[in-house]
Amino acid sequence: MVMEIEEKVIEAKKASIILASVNTESKNAALEAMAQALDNNREKILEANRKDVETAEKLKRKGELSQALVDRLKVSDSKISGMIDGIRDVISLKDPVGETIDALELDQGLELYQVSCPIGLIGVIFEARPDVVPQVMSLCLKSGNATIFKGGSEALNSNRVIFDLLNQAAETIKVMPSGAFQLMETREEVNDILRLDTYIDLLIPRGSNAFVKYIQDNTKIPVLGHSDGICHVYVDEEADLSKAYAVCFDSKVQYPAVCNAMETLLINASIADRFLPKMARMYDEAGVEMRCDNSSFKILEQIDFIKSVGRVTDDDWRTEYNDLILSIKIVDSIEEAIEHINTYGSHHTDCIITENDMKKKRFTDLVDSSSVMLNASTRFADGFRYGKGAEVGISTNKIHARGPVGMEGLLIYKYILVGNGDKVADYAGSGAKKYTHRRLNKKASDALGK
């Protein structure tokens, strides 16, 4: 089994070299073929997904799968349309491969170019969500990266059907290399993939906190991603409360089973009596369980018809619920809110509701998160909504790529030095030539005759 996996990975690694040089027109043709394949096989995808969901529901009843995981697994006709739209959005994006990032004359006739290029072979290990396959494959294809996919067993049928449709469609385009995209299916393959740092250039895990942490702790391969999505909304005393109600409700309720949903609501003490009762009623009607600190509990325990209110624990501040559960805390100042976010948050997405411009700046300057929202739902932290076509994941890293990661996170660069028999010896010792180090308004393609 290990040898078979390694053979697949080596095949993909070799194909990545060819894929890196495929022209834009051919890549876009492959993407359109992929979109059409999904559109023409909707019922086939839905039937495969029904099998997975049926099995997942049984496991949920046994306590072996969470409701959040079951929710992420489900594919609908509208979700398939979203997959198709995502692929076509990627078609519309500019091809980033071969772009000149910088050009510098070292000396007359000696020119240095910094040029974008694919990372190479990307490994994507994910749980539940079958829509990860078209999202990531489309971005990797457009950016010239070969990809190994390893999905969870709970989505086995859905992943297989979607992957086969996309892969076969892409390979109908003549210049597309065979074997650039590979699908792994067994649980044992995860650990085998983690050991293949000789071939795999970057890993992108998508799944639960424990799952991502396991990947990060058990491989030498660089990992792009986040292990937690503990997101906050802070309602300032100078907030427009109509905006606050809308943003706080959407951030928690619109889709609670995802990493950019709010998990903790922070409220300034001076407006808590005015804001919290109505907000709690809205949450209560939506089935949200509220876990309150002492101050917020005192306000809500007086309201008889609000049933789902309890006490918060210290562990709650560090918990990503992925469910209709919310921690609530009343704070005395924006400074206390920022301190709480930076202490308990996961550097994912955090929001302030305020009309005070100085506080907006203070919040964005001091909150150490990959996305910071001003009077807008945390749920906007998404590659598609950010105009990236789709996303390969959301990263809380501080190197390479951060936040919702699109194609820019799948690129690195190389340096190309164009000379004419130049040698370093001429720039050393007595009478040495001097470097000009002059910026050039020139593309590498011009120097290379392309």
Side-chain angles (χ1 to χ4, degrees):
M1 176 63 73
V2 175
M3 182 57 67
E4 181 184 340
I5 293 165
E6 189 166 355
E7 286 172 357
K8 284 185 176 183
V9 171
I10 291 172
E11 183 183 9
K13 184 68 172 180
K14 290 178 178 177
S16 72
I17 306 300
I18 302 169
L19 183 58
S21 65
V22 173
N23 62 61
T24 304
E25 183 180 23
S26 297
K27 288 191 285 190
N28 285 343
L31 289 166
E32 179 56 34
M34 288 160 57
Q36 289 178 9
L38 294 183
D39 199 18
N40 294 339
N41 291 275
R42 287 173 180 263
E43 187 50 46
K44 188 175 182 179
I45 296 167
L46 293 172
E47 177 58 30
N49 186 249
R50 278 193 284 269
K51 293 178 184 177
D52 289 331
V53 172
E54 184 178 322
T55 302
E57 291 285 2
K58 291 177 182 176
L59 292 173
K60 188 192 78 171
R61 287 193 288 272
K62 293 179 182 177
E64 296 178 26
L65 278 186
S66 67
Q67 183 61 52
L69 209 63
V70 175
D71 290 342
R72 289 179 180 182
L73 172 62
K74 293 177 182 176
V75 174
S76 62
D77 197 60
S78 63
K79 273 198 174 181
I80 295 173
S81 295
M83 296 177 196
I84 295 166
D85 290 343
I87 293 172
R88 288 186 169 141
D89 280 342
V90 173
I91 293 174
S92 70
L93 296 175
K94 185 178 180 181
D95 189 340
V97 179
E99 285 290 301
T100 300
I101 300 168
D102 195 15
L104 185 71
E105 178 193 83
L106 302 189
D107 197 0
Q108 188 173 0
L110 185 61
E111 298 173 350
L112 180 67
Y113 297 90
Q114 186 183 15
V115 178
S116 63
C117 62
I119 288 174
L121 178 57
I122 311 294
V124 181
I125 306 176
F126 60 102
E127 292 179 313
R129 292 174 54 180
D131 55 342
V132 166
V133 179
Q135 283 181 7
V136 175
M137 189 183 288
S138 59
L139 288 170
C140 284
L141 190 154
K142 186 70 177 267
S143 59
N145 290 283
T147 315
I148 300 290
F149 291 92
K150 171 61 185 81
S153 58
E154 68 282 345
L156 178 67
N157 295 293
S158 307
N159 290 339
R160 183 182 296 162
V161 167
I162 293 171
F163 175 85
D164 286 345
L165 288 170
L166 296 175
N167 191 46
Q168 290 164 14
E171 290 187 0
T172 61
I173 307 305
K174 280 188 178 180
V175 297
M176 291 295 296
S178 175
F181 301 103
Q182 302 279 354
L183 178 66
M184 310 292 189
E185 295 186 329
T186 67
R187 183 181 298 274
E188 293 75 18
E189 288 169 329
V190 172
N191 286 327
D192 294 329
I193 289 170
L194 298 184
R195 288 192 286 268
L196 295 174
D197 54 285
T198 303
Y199 309 108
I200 299 173
D201 299 296
L202 180 69
L203 279 179
I204 303 174
R206 301 272 297 265
S208 68
N209 307 349
F211 173 77
V212 176
K213 190 73 166 60
Y214 178 83
I215 301 297
Q216 292 171 332
D217 291 345
N218 288 277
T219 187
K220 295 179 182 178
I221 304 168
V223 177
L224 185 152
H226 69 281
S227 57
D228 297 290
I230 303 173
C231 306
H232 302 74
V233 177
Y234 166 59
V235 182
D236 182 59
E237 72 264 35
E238 295 182 76
D240 178 328
L241 294 191
S242 64
K243 294 178 185 177
Y245 293 127
V247 170
C248 292
F249 190 81
D250 189 83
S251 294
K252 179 73 261 183
V253 177
Q254 196 271 334
Y255 189 13
V258 286
C259 61
N260 58 15
M262 172 178 59
E263 306 295 16
T264 297
L265 173 61
L266 303 171
I267 307 165
N268 190 279
S270 65
I271 61 158
D273 286 325
R274 284 189 292 137
F275 172 74
L276 186 53
K278 179 180 176 180
M279 189 74 254
R281 288 189 196 99
M282 293 170 66
Y283 283 142
D284 197 58
E285 289 170 3
V288 177
E289 175 191 338
M290 289 164 277
R291 299 181 181 179
C292 301
D293 72 340
N294 289 335
S295 298
S296 56
F297 188 82
K298 286 178 182 177
I299 294 172
L300 295 183
E301 70 176 340
Q302 302 174 38
I303 305 174
D304 294 336
F305 56 84
I306 295 180
K307 301 176 290 298
S308 53
V309 176
R311 298 277 190 171
V312 74
T313 68
D314 193 60
D315 286 341
D316 284 311
W317 303 131
R318 304 179 188 277
T319 299
E320 181 181 9
Y321 300 117
N322 288 136
D323 202 350
L324 288 172
I325 304 171
L326 179 68
S327 301
I328 301 175
K329 181 177 183 177
I330 294 177
V331 296
D332 291 327
S333 65
I334 185 174
E335 286 76 20
E336 186 181 348
I338 292 169
E339 175 68 20
H340 182 96
I341 291 168
N342 287 337
T343 300
Y344 295 100
S346 59
H347 312 293
H348 191 297
T349 302
D350 298 290
C351 168
I352 183 173
I353 312 294
T354 188
E355 298 300 303
N356 184 301
D357 290 340
M358 289 184 66
K359 289 180 180 178
K360 291 176 186 177
K361 185 176 188 309
R362 186 164 183 76
F363 194 85
T364 55
D365 285 348
L366 297 181
V367 168
D368 185 23
S369 298
S370 63
S371 285
V372 181
M373 311 312 206
L374 306 178
N375 297 325
S377 172
T378 59
R379 289 281 292 113
F380 280 108
D382 173 84
F384 175 73
R385 297 184 185 107
Y386 278 15
K388 297 174 181 289
E391 69 183 31
V392 295
I394 293 181
S395 172
T396 54
N397 296 350
K398 289 193 176 181
I399 55 172
H400 179 56
R402 200 177 191 206
V405 178
M407 280 194 292
E408 79 289 344
L410 299 174
L411 295 167
I412 191 61
Y413 54 80
K414 64 176 68 172
Y415 288 102
I416 301 173
L417 183 62
V418 181
N420 188 29
D422 301 272
K423 57 187 188 294
V424 168
D426 292 338
Y427 296 87
S430 60
K433 296 171 68 175
K434 294 188 180 299
Y435 295 106
T436 59
H437 289 158
R438 182 173 65 89
R439 294 287 167 198
L440 297 174
N441 184 20
K442 190 176 178 180
K443 293 182 178 179
S445 56
D446 298 330
L448 298 173
K450 293 182 180 178

